[in-house]
């Protein structure tokens, strides 16, 4: 029997996934959480074989949670199951130690098979995402440019971002300009949107 932990902040989605997976004779859901910062404690308590993690959750994103599991509960393998099929997320999830990455509209039978394959130590990746990942490549942004764009997501002024990051306004403008150029955007807002779509602003 393969023991599963489900982590998704949408209770309806989490419940439906649990019901579908529990129908499989060799799978059983032993724990469900709705926040990323609850994943590690649940894994320690229930000792699941596979944790199915959403990417975007309150408290801690799924990629950061996967990183924690790899370090603290290495016997638990990770399968990312997410609405956000973005190439950048895929690359970061794999780097964080995830064994697989599939989207939530994956048919139930394929999802169950992905769980089994990850449990066996195999890699499972949505084919369309794999192709996108190769096309997009790694983020061209420096760490500081990433920080600046992440801070710009809330729509604050240059002065607001400068205060938040404790940098001069001139430095913020330079990093924003560089990030806009590297993303091929025309505006700061467009640069943020493009970087988010490619998964370059995940923590």
């Amino acid at each position: 029997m393969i023991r599963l932990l489900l982590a998704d902040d949408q209770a309806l989605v989490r419940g439906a996934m649990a019901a579908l997976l529990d129908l499989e004779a060799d799978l059983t859901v032993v724990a469900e959480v709705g926040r990323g910062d609850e994943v590690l404690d649940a894994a320690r308590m229930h000792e699941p074989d596979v944790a199915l993690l959403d990417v975007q959750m309150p408290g801690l994103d799924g990629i950061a949670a996967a990183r924690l599991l790899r370090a603290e509960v290495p016997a638990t393998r990770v399968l990312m199951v997410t609405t956000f099929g973005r190439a950048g997320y895929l690359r970061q999830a794999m780097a964080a130690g995830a064994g697989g990455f599939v989207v939530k509209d994956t048919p139930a039978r394929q999802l169950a098979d992905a769980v089994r394959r990850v449990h066996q130590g195999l890699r499972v990746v949505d084919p369309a995402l794999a192709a996108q990942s190769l096309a997009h490549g790694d983020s061209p942004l420096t760490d500081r440019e990433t920080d600046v764009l992440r801070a710009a997501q809330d729509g604050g002024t240059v002065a607001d971002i400068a205060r938040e990051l404790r940098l001069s306004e001139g430095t913020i403008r330079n990093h924003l300009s560089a990030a806009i150029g590297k993303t091929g955007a025309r505006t700061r807002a467009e640069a943020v949107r493009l970087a988010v779509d490619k998964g370059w602003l995940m923590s």
Side-chain angles (χ1 to χ4, degrees):
M1 187 67 73
I2 302 173
R3 296 163 56 84
L4 307 179
L5 161 64
L6 304 186
D8 193 304
D9 61 330
Q10 294 180 303
L12 189 61
V13 171
R14 191 174 68 244
M17 195 180 303
L20 287 170
L21 292 170
D22 269 334
L23 291 173
E24 300 291 324
D26 59 337
L27 306 180
T28 183
V29 176
V30 296
E32 298 179 41
V33 298
R35 295 176 56 90
D37 52 7
E38 297 172 343
V39 168
L40 184 58
D41 286 345
R44 285 173 169 159
M45 181 179 297
H46 298 281
E47 300 181 344
D49 299 304
V50 180
L52 287 79
L53 309 181
D54 190 14
V55 170
Q56 293 193 342
M57 292 185 285
L60 195 69
D61 68 67
I63 293 172
R67 199 174 294 119
L68 272 179
L69 286 178
R70 181 175 64 175
E72 303 292 333
V73 193
T76 297
R77 300 186 187 277
V78 173
L79 174 63
M80 306 301 299
V81 184
T82 182
T83 303
F84 299 95
R86 294 169 178 159
Y89 290 172
L90 167 60
R91 298 175 75 90
Q92 291 182 45
M94 294 296 124
F101 196 111
V102 296
V103 292
K104 286 181 181 175
D105 61 1
T106 298
R109 184 167 295 180
Q110 289 181 27
L111 177 60
D113 186 55
V115 168
R116 295 182 185 104
R117 289 169 62 83
V118 167
H119 179 247
Q120 293 167 5
L122 303 174
R123 285 288 179 107
V124 180
V125 176
D126 180 278
L129 279 178
Q132 282 181 36
S133 180
L134 290 173
H136 287 313
D138 293 323
S139 172
L141 304 172
T142 65
D143 289 345
R144 185 55 81 187
E145 289 160 2
T146 301
D147 290 342
V148 169
L149 276 190
R150 193 178 290 130
Q153 283 182 276
D154 295 332
T157 65
V158 168
D160 293 333
I161 298 170
R163 275 194 299 274
E164 179 181 339
L165 299 180
R166 297 181 180 175
L167 296 170
S168 72
E169 292 183 28
T171 298
I172 295 299
R173 288 191 187 91
N174 288 340
H175 286 310
L176 283 172
S177 178
I180 288 168
K182 288 179 180 180
T183 57
R186 291 169 296 176
T187 65
R188 179 176 82 179
E190 186 180 5
V192 169
R193 181 183 60 77
L194 289 169
V196 167
D197 285 346
K198 294 181 179 180
W200 293 341
L201 300 188
M202 292 294 291
S203 58

